[in-house]
């Protein structure tokens, strides 16, 4: 087991703001699945309802489903707005999949195919749809000088995260994508071989799932203030999940709770 501490970072919503790319890729994937009707109905510019629904998204394929929902004037998204809570979001997702006869794997495949082609045909334009959050890249580079290794654990496809990290000239010690399993599963595997110092996320539900996992309940977890958050996410955090403001993030790791 390595003696150097390892900080594990989510990617989207922590390191990278990819909201523009989410919409572009979800729209393109929807057009492939639905046909010309989707191209005519879905705006090119990022819709406000898509942005406000993004904090509820867990897996990439859900964004393709959201795009399809925006086409339907009778969908809960169009009639009621963004989901009110997790149960509401899960109900809407299940009903939308059933109504369309879609499977998550098919949506994920369409999304990743769109991204593969974009990287192959015009990598520069695809990369330009992403922006690092202010100060995060510099802080990640400083961890190395402090003797702290860091890795990335994301629900994005590993290859796409690698493209973006390379463009930012960032070299994590490890990189895990959705192909490697759930975040609690990967963290358990990492803990068997590394000394984990913490897990940094922008999705509170994921952090709570980590803390419910035997073997991870004492892992320090941090909810970043700059990610894709629901309005109530920062309030009443459970023990072991800490609110991470930019000022604390910039400070030496020894000062973190």
């Amino acid at each position: 087991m390595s003696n150097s501490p390892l900080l594990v970072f989510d990617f989207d919503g922590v390191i990278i703001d990819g909201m523009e790319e989410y919409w572009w890729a979800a729209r393109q994937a929807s057009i492939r699945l639905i046909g010309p009707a989707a191209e005519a109905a879905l705006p090119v510019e990022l819709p406000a309802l898509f942005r406000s629904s993004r904090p509820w998204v867990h897996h990439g394929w859900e964004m393709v489903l959201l795009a399809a929902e925006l086409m339907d004037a009778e969908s809960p998204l169009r009639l009621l707005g963004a989901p009110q809570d997790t149960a509401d979001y899960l109900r809407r997702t299940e009903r939308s999949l059933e109504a369309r006869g879609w499977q998550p794997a098919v949506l994920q495949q369409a999304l990743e195919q769109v991204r593969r082609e974009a990287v192959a045909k015009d990598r520069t334009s695809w990369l330009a749809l992403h922006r690092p959050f202010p100060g995060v890249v510099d802080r990640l580079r400083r961890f190395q000088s402090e003797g702290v290794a860091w890795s990335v654990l994301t629900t994005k496809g590993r290859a796409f995260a690698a493209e973006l990290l390379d463009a930012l000239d960032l070299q994590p010690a490890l990189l895990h994508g959705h192909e490697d399993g759930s975040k609690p599963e990967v963290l358990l595997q990492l803990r068997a071989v590394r000394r984990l110092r913490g897990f940094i996320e922008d999705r509170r539900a994921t952090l709570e799932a980590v803390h419910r996992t035997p073997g991870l309940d004492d892992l320090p977890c941090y909810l970043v203030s700059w990610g894709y958050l629901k309005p109530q996410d920062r309030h009443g955090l459970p023990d072991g999940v800490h609110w991470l403001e930019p000022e604390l993030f910039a400070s030496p790791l020894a000062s973190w709770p």
Side-chain angles (χ1 to χ4, degrees):
M1 180 181 293
S2 172
N3 288 325
S4 62
L6 181 69
L7 274 175
V8 183
F9 286 82
D10 183 30
F11 190 64
D12 297 288
V14 175
I15 299 174
I16 284 286
D17 181 359
M19 188 68 75
E20 295 289 339
E21 194 274 347
Y22 300 153
W23 172 245
W24 177 84
R27 181 180 183 273
Q28 294 299 317
S30 294
I31 290 169
R32 294 188 180 201
L33 291 166
I34 298 169
E39 185 164 17
L42 294 175
V44 174
E45 298 299 320
L46 173 66
L49 272 176
F50 185 86
R51 181 187 290 276
S52 62
S53 298
R54 177 59 182 80
W56 304 97
V57 169
H58 188 197
H59 302 287
W61 62 264
E62 296 166 32
M63 298 188 297
V64 183
L65 193 63
L66 283 174
E69 287 288 284
L70 283 168
M71 285 186 59
D72 182 1
E74 299 301 316
S75 71
L77 183 60
R78 291 281 299 277
L79 294 174
L80 303 174
Q84 298 302 304
D85 53 41
T86 300
D88 181 31
Y89 177 71
L90 292 175
R91 279 194 302 270
R92 293 189 191 187
T93 299
E94 183 177 353
R95 290 171 184 171
S96 182
L97 285 172
E98 184 177 352
R100 290 174 170 79
W102 284 354
Q103 295 296 322
V106 174
L107 304 186
Q108 188 70 37
Q109 183 180 28
L111 184 68
E112 296 195 5
Q113 184 61 29
V114 164
R115 285 173 166 162
R116 276 193 294 270
E117 292 177 8
V119 171
K121 293 178 180 178
D122 193 350
R123 181 174 182 267
T124 300
S125 294
W126 182 76
L127 290 172
L129 294 170
H130 305 81
R131 295 174 178 82
F133 286 101
V136 172
V137 171
D138 287 343
R139 184 65 185 101
L140 290 173
R141 291 173 179 156
R142 293 204 310 276
F143 278 125
Q144 185 173 355
S145 65
E146 297 171 10
V148 179
W150 61 276
S151 71
V152 169
L153 171 54
T154 175
T155 55
K156 187 185 287 295
R158 193 187 314 115
F160 305 118
E163 288 281 352
L164 290 161
L165 288 163
D166 182 65
L168 295 170
D169 194 27
L170 291 173
Q171 293 83 37
L174 298 165
L175 170 59
H176 295 90
H178 73 79
E179 308 93 331
D180 298 305
S182 72
K183 289 181 178 178
E185 290 170 343
V186 174
L187 288 168
L188 281 171
Q189 294 165 13
L190 285 173
R191 201 164 208 190
V193 296
R194 296 293 299 257
R195 180 161 62 93
L196 300 187
R197 174 56 182 84
F199 176 46
I200 297 93
E201 253 280 0
D202 78 315
R203 190 171 185 271
R204 175 172 173 163
T206 297
L207 296 176
E208 292 175 342
V210 167
H211 261 270
R212 290 194 300 267
T213 302
L216 296 176
D217 51 304
D218 63 341
L219 176 66
C221 288
Y222 303 91
L223 181 65
V224 301
S225 66
W226 58 84
Y228 308 129
L229 302 176
K230 308 180 191 77
Q232 69 275 22
D233 275 350
R234 67 172 297 172
H235 302 295
L237 292 174
D239 291 342
V241 177
H242 309 283
W243 183 244
L244 188 62
E245 296 274 4
E247 294 77 15
L248 179 60
F249 183 58
S251 68
L253 185 59
S255 67
W256 293 24

